[in-house]
Amino acid sequence: KHCNPSNIMPEPPISCDIVLPILDSIISNETLCRLKYLNFPKGWRMRAYNTAKSGSSTETQSIFQAFLARYDQMLQNRGPPKNHSGIDLGIGIFGRHNSYGTQYNICHQCTKLFRHDCPVGDDNAEHYFCSACEREYCGNCVTTTGCGICSYGFCVGTCITHSCASPNCDEKVCDECKQYWCDKCYRTWCDECCSRNCLDCEWCTKRYCHECSENDEMNGVLRCDEYDCVNIACSSCLLKRLQEGELDCMKCIRKATPLIKQLKDENKELKDENEALCQRIQNLEESKQSLEMLMYNRMGITSRDIGCRYRTLQEPN
């Protein structure tokens, strides 16, 4: 329940070759069969859909596609059920895209039937589709809400858990749209609030909220308020454009200038660190030579003997 099907896309722990013969034995006798709902792993469904679309199919996928056809035919042979208003509630198997191999017009939780074009107020009209767990639910089982960015529906509290960071906004944000965040504090906004609370650098992918940009002017994204300048950029991009001679706004140049000093200080720190590492390596080499000489002295080997042995190893046979 409420599990993203993509999480089991690699390979579900249950074997299609073992399950399908059992299901086939259940639906083979349509008179006695009371089965009304099946939910297959997305891994099975998408592999079958992709192989069918490409024209190449393995034996397992062919068997799965054939079973879907038989199961759908069994549902159709029962005839469409009707609601209390006499409207047919069609039921069957989807045969396209991400919905391939799923049943439509049925609640995943209570198996209540509904129809998309039922009149408003009809008991069979209240239904929702969750874009995370990719299932349909009736209004009695699940409450859904739309993502404040993509507007797709999601189960409240289980499939959508992120809220817009604006204190006066109650919009929710799904996992797929959570890229509307500040790169420093990682707060997330809905589409409308993000445009009011964040600035995107025009030349790179950096996004900072106003608060983080004000607290960190060296790395934040700032908007130039000069009359004839419309730059919205981070200091790094301003410095790069200044070095390339593409920056003519004096206020933007002044914003980039402190970064030059910061880079010089960082280069000096790296240079000092490199020199310290080189000195440490030299000290280690000297310690190694001292230990080798101490070992040779204890073994009664002089430096002259070491030189003679070295020359002997270098001479050709």
Side-chain angles (χ1 to χ4, degrees), residues 122-134:
D122 190 291
D123 185 50
N124 299 98
E126 295 295 329
H127 63 278
Y128 308 97
F129 179 79
C130 176
S131 297
C133 52
E134 297 182 0

Side-chain angles (χ1 to χ4, degrees), residues 10-240:
E11 186 60 44
I14 191 169
S15 172
C16 185
D17 295 330
I18 296 176
V19 172
L20 289 185
I22 299 174
L23 293 177
D24 249 330
S25 65
I26 295 175
I27 69 171
S28 59
N29 191 332
E30 295 187 18
T31 304
L32 299 177
C33 180
R34 294 294 181 267
L35 184 65
K36 61 185 298 188
Y37 180 70
L38 287 175
N39 181 41
F40 296 104
K42 189 173 183 178
W44 298 2
R45 298 189 290 104
M46 289 299 96
R47 277 192 289 274
Y49 174 74
N50 292 331
T51 53
K53 187 177 179 181
S54 63
S56 60
S57 180
T58 64
E59 180 179 357
T60 299
Q61 299 308 323
S62 297
I63 294 175
F64 180 62
Q65 293 163 1
F67 173 80
L68 288 179
R70 290 194 295 274
Y71 180 57
D72 183 61
Q73 186 60 52
M74 183 199 75
L75 296 176
Q76 304 304 324
N77 291 343
R78 292 176 178 176
K82 299 180 182 293
N83 68 356
H84 63 276
S85 301
I87 299 177
D88 291 343
L89 302 174
I91 188 171
I93 301 294
F94 277 119
R96 62 185 184 275
H97 309 306
N98 289 343
S99 299
Y100 181 84
T102 61
Q103 286 186 232
Y104 55 83
N105 291 355
I106 187 169
C107 175
H108 171 77
Q109 192 159 322
C110 69
T111 67
K112 173 185 175 181
L113 299 177
F114 44 74
R115 180 167 172 165
H116 294 274
D117 56 356
C118 278
V120 176
D122 190 291
D123 185 50
N124 299 98
E126 295 295 329
H127 63 278
Y128 308 97
F129 179 79
C130 176
S131 297
C133 52
E134 297 182 0
R135 296 169 181 143
E136 288 185 299
Y137 298 94
C138 69
N140 295 327
C141 291
V142 171
T143 301
T144 64
T145 187
C147 171
I149 297 174
C150 65
S151 299
Y152 290 153
F154 296 90
C155 302
V156 175
T158 52
C159 294
I160 188 167
T161 57
H162 309 294
S163 300
C164 177
S166 296
N168 299 322
C169 180
D170 57 358
E171 289 281 7
K172 301 294 184 179
V173 181
C174 70
D175 288 336
E176 295 295 327
C177 295
K178 199 177 178 294
Q179 70 270 19
Y180 285 82
W181 60 35
C182 170
D183 290 336
K184 185 173 179 64
C185 66
Y186 298 106
R187 289 182 296 172
T188 304
W189 284 268
C190 67
D191 194 9
E192 182 178 352
C193 293
C194 184
S195 61
R196 294 198 304 262
N197 290 275
C198 293
L199 291 175
D200 293 353
C201 178
E202 296 177 348
W203 299 300
C204 71
T205 58
K206 181 181 288 187
R207 173 185 289 122
Y208 265 43
C209 66
H210 295 310
E211 182 179 346
C212 290
S213 292
E214 292 173 358
N215 295 334
D216 186 8
E217 293 186 1
M218 296 297 295
N219 298 301
V221 179
L222 301 173
R223 184 197 305 270
C224 183
D225 54 7
E226 285 293 309
Y227 176 74
D228 56 347
C229 180
V230 292
N231 286 332
I232 302 177
C234 63
S235 299
S236 299
C237 289
L238 287 176
L239 178 60
K240 182 179 179 181

